[in-house]
Amino acid sequence: MQITEQFIKLDTPSTSLVFRRYSELLEIVYYGAKIGDAADYDILSSHKRKYAHSCADDVITANMTFSCYGMGCDRVFSLSLKNHDGGYANKFLFRGARAAEKPIIPGLPSSYGARETLMLVYYDEDYDLELRQYYSVFEDTDAIAVSSAIENRSAHDAVLRSFASCQLDTDGCGYTVFSYTGAWARERYPSVTQLSVGTFEQGTSRGSSSHAVNPFLMLRRPARMGGYLAFNLVYSGDHRERVECTPMHTTRITVGMDDAFLEHLLPSGSVFHSPEAVMLFGEHRADISLQMHRFVNGHIVPPCFLRERPVAVNLWEACGYRFDRGKVLEFADRAAEIGAELLVVDDGWFGRRDDEKTSLGDWTDNVEKTGGLKSLAEEVRSRGLKFGIWIEPEMVSPESELMRRFPQYVLRNPRREPILLRDQCVLDLTQREVWDYVLRCLRDLMELCSPDYIKWDYNRFITDAYHAPTSAGEEFSLRYIKALYALLARFREEYPGLLIESCAAGGGRYDLGMLCFTPQIWTSDMTDPVERIHIQEGTLAGYPQSTLSAHIASEVCQKTGRRTRLRDRFALALEGVFGIEYDLTQCSREELADLKQAVAFYKEHRDLLLYGDMFFAERAEDGEAAVHIIVSRDKTRAVALVFRLRQIFNCEQDKYRLCGLREDAVYRVGIYGSDRTWDVQGKLLLSHGLDLGAYFPKDRSGVFSNEINSLVLFLRQV
Ligand code: DGJ
């Protein structure tokens, strides 16, 4: 970090962020590839910025780190207050910058292991408010963690109406926005919006981060600037991202909590701290996922989980609610036989849960089904497997003991009945009594069967938040998420070694906040590879393979009815935390042998597959093919997943290039399922590609209705 009279410069391993100080305002004058310390930054901006209202040299066009009404600017605001006198205008003047401790954000998780933190301080003298912004950089990733805090130093209360975690103003307009949107079973489909002048806005007000739109966002800068920007938020609730390309040819990006219901009381003497955001510059698109992956693995996921994760067999897709002890043990036998390491009993083991209409909240062992969970878990373990169990602790079924006894636990508007989604209601975790009850249920479950793994599900979103501010003044969604984090933190503290996989009707809460507690997330209920490839590609754009739970499911997909090859389902499961989710008890000997081989392959390459660098030589979003490559840090090993998405009949060319490898090395290339290997120069693999047409499985029977056809390649430097 370099702080001089005029300039402040912050470096990451390959990027720099430079601010310039004018008398009372601070401008971002550079964010891009790393530059040296000795340079004369004066040439980066020739403006004479000042507070004025009439010319382009004022805050209207300055590239600021925050914005609010009252400073002569009419763009998207990152900060909005209702002051004690009823006015909405504020004027924060730059007071200074210094190196600081990375702040601990009360009640919210944030990244760890920063190398240094820069604090910027602004002050509004009219209302005695201090705005502090923190920029933390890391040794091994270009991601920058940013958060903002506002302190009310006046004798009066104020109300916070919006407060983004991070604002980045940048030059030019004409940005291309890559967002990751969808729905249940279609999460994080990549979507592209070209902006000339105007505003792109995305976000959610449903209480959970990511079924409709993920907080991860990427931008391609206009061609004359080059490079990419990316953003994310360490938060699991409502969020909002805005990209405003102005007629003055400047662009503002704000990232933070959603402000639709925000009316946060800021009592005299109090401080409000935003969730942490992440921003990143990369020269190439490949840098974005690579650097985000490093950030998540090295600074978000708790270090104790940065190890191999067990290969799971989960009963859900095959059995739903229909299973008994005999069935579970049959699964356990087959799971052990094929080399799996964890058996997961999903929904249906408790209360009278034979369908989705009952029993959430009544976490009592259904002994008729399980024959006793404790001994069932022991029997599973006696087969050399770990034991895992599902729970949905934040929910209650209207038809349940819990609801009958404590209807007041349900989250609702006091004037009407709560809206049912999936026949269930949300528990109001913000009530202390409810929070205690849920923690007790979790402890009881641990007591009951000492699971090695818990799948923490959340199958609906919030529709009945009662947004009345409490005396603490916090908006409901924030209070809910803080209560959830406190619960996860306490539970993890009590059972530190426990592996928790989070899930929200598939990937409805796939975000950096959850990943601070649960190292892996069930990506989506969509297990048809034709659909899933888009979901995984979208997810991998911002999140590493080690977070993405990916299971091989049955030949005929329950959702789409499409019949697909095991090879294709296998290839996709390799780029995540590998597991199996179909009826092993109905498999032929041949199928079991195939699965055994698949599991063995995954285990052999597990460290590489989970923690290697991920590259995309081709993307499914472009339509023809997808080539995803996972390369070891030293570039001596790689696994390449080649997906042909369209077979063009009678076509001579079927060549695929790889990337991420060393040009000057020679790699021995093998294809999964074939005995042949080839020694190929890195340069050829990168620039010419392999003619793989002859090696794709051929099947003209018409049994498989998918077009997707995949090959798994493994490479080792010779
Ligand atoms: C939704 C999850 O995504 C599924 O995997 C399964 O656990 C069901 N919930 C159980 O109700």
Side-chain angles (χ1 to χ4, degrees), residues 303-334:
C304 64
F305 294 119
L306 294 178
R307 51 178 157 86
E308 297 192 335
R309 312 278 172 68
V311 173
V313 166
N314 180 310
L315 267 68
W316 175 251
E317 281 250 343
C319 304
Y321 303 100
R322 298 168 310 281
F323 61 87
D324 57 18
R325 187 182 182 94
K327 190 76 171 173
V328 176
L329 291 175
E330 242 187 291
F331 261 89
D333 287 336
R334 298 288 93 78

Side-chain angles (χ1 to χ4, degrees), residues 26-48:
L26 185 79
E27 187 173 35
I28 302 164
V29 286
Y30 179 83
Y31 186 31
K34 191 167 186 165
I35 50 176
D37 276 348
D40 183 352
Y41 309 125
D42 221 24
I43 194 73
L44 295 174
S45 168
S46 55
H47 291 278
K48 301 270 175 293

Side-chain angles (χ1 to χ4, degrees), residues 219-231:
L219 307 177
R220 184 168 55 223
R221 303 206 297 195
R224 57 191 293 263
M225 297 169 71
Y228 288 80
L229 296 169
F231 301 85

Side-chain angles (χ1 to χ4, degrees), residues 316 321 346-347 353 390 422 455 457 459 503 505-506 522 525:
W316 175 251
Y321 303 100
D346 208 281
D347 198 350
R353 182 83 166 170
W390 176 98
R422 208 198 193 213
K455 181 171 170 188
D457 209 344
N459 276 301
C503 173
W522 178 232
D525 281 339

Side-chain angles (χ1 to χ4, degrees), residues 161-386:
R161 296 162 69 239
S162 69
F163 193 47
S165 303
C166 163
Q167 171 176 312
L168 181 74
D169 283 0
T170 165
D171 295 338
C173 65
Y175 283 66
T176 311
V177 183
F178 297 80
S179 53
Y180 298 88
T181 62
W184 171 74
R186 192 166 47 79
E187 297 90 338
R188 290 171 296 291
Y189 259 55
S191 139
V192 184
T193 310
Q194 181 60 47
L195 272 182
S196 55
V197 171
T199 304
F200 169 92
E201 179 171 334
Q202 66 164 34
T204 179
S205 306
R206 59 169 68 179
S208 45
S209 62
S210 39
H211 253 142
V213 55
N214 197 271
F216 173 70
L217 184 73
M218 183 170 72
L219 307 177
R220 184 168 55 223
R221 303 206 297 195
R224 57 191 293 263
M225 297 169 71
Y228 288 80
L229 296 169
F231 301 85
N232 207 340
L233 194 63
V234 188
Y235 189 62
S236 309
D238 300 340
H239 59 92
R240 192 133 311 260
E241 294 77 43
R242 296 183 173 104
V243 182
E244 184 193 33
C245 289
T246 74
M248 303 292 280
H249 287 205
T250 55
T251 292
R252 167 166 296 166
I253 302 124
T254 61
V255 173
M257 281 170 49
D258 181 38
D259 45 21
F261 299 106
L262 194 70
E263 215 172 290
H264 181 91
L265 187 65
L266 197 62
S268 153
S270 70
V271 181
F272 179 84
H273 206 129
S274 76
E276 186 172 81
V278 186
M279 70 179 199
L280 172 67
F281 168 82
E283 288 201 70
H284 307 285
R285 189 168 167 184
D287 301 327
I288 297 295
S289 22
L290 216 54
Q291 297 300 323
M292 278 291 177
H293 289 192
R294 290 202 180 150
F295 173 71
V296 177
N297 276 330
H299 305 282
I300 289 288
V301 170
C304 64
F305 294 119
L306 294 178
R307 51 178 157 86
E308 297 192 335
R309 312 278 172 68
V311 173
V313 166
N314 180 310
L315 267 68
W316 175 251
E317 281 250 343
C319 304
Y321 303 100
R322 298 168 310 281
F323 61 87
D324 57 18
R325 187 182 182 94
K327 190 76 171 173
V328 176
L329 291 175
E330 242 187 291
F331 261 89
D333 287 336
R334 298 288 93 78
E337 190 182 326
I338 61 170
E341 297 155 320
L342 164 71
L343 187 90
V344 183
V345 175
D346 208 281
D347 198 350
W349 58 266
F350 54 94
R352 290 177 296 101
R353 182 83 166 170
D354 293 322
D355 58 35
E356 59 189 43
K357 291 195 186 321
T358 73
S359 301
L360 295 173
D362 300 344
W363 304 109
T364 46
D365 188 0
N366 180 345
V367 180
E368 262 174 51
K369 252 187 190 174
T370 64
L373 265 188
K374 192 178 179 61
S375 59
L376 179 64
E378 276 158 18
E379 279 208 56
V380 167
R381 286 198 189 96
S382 72
R383 286 156 170 83
L385 299 164
K386 293 179 191 297

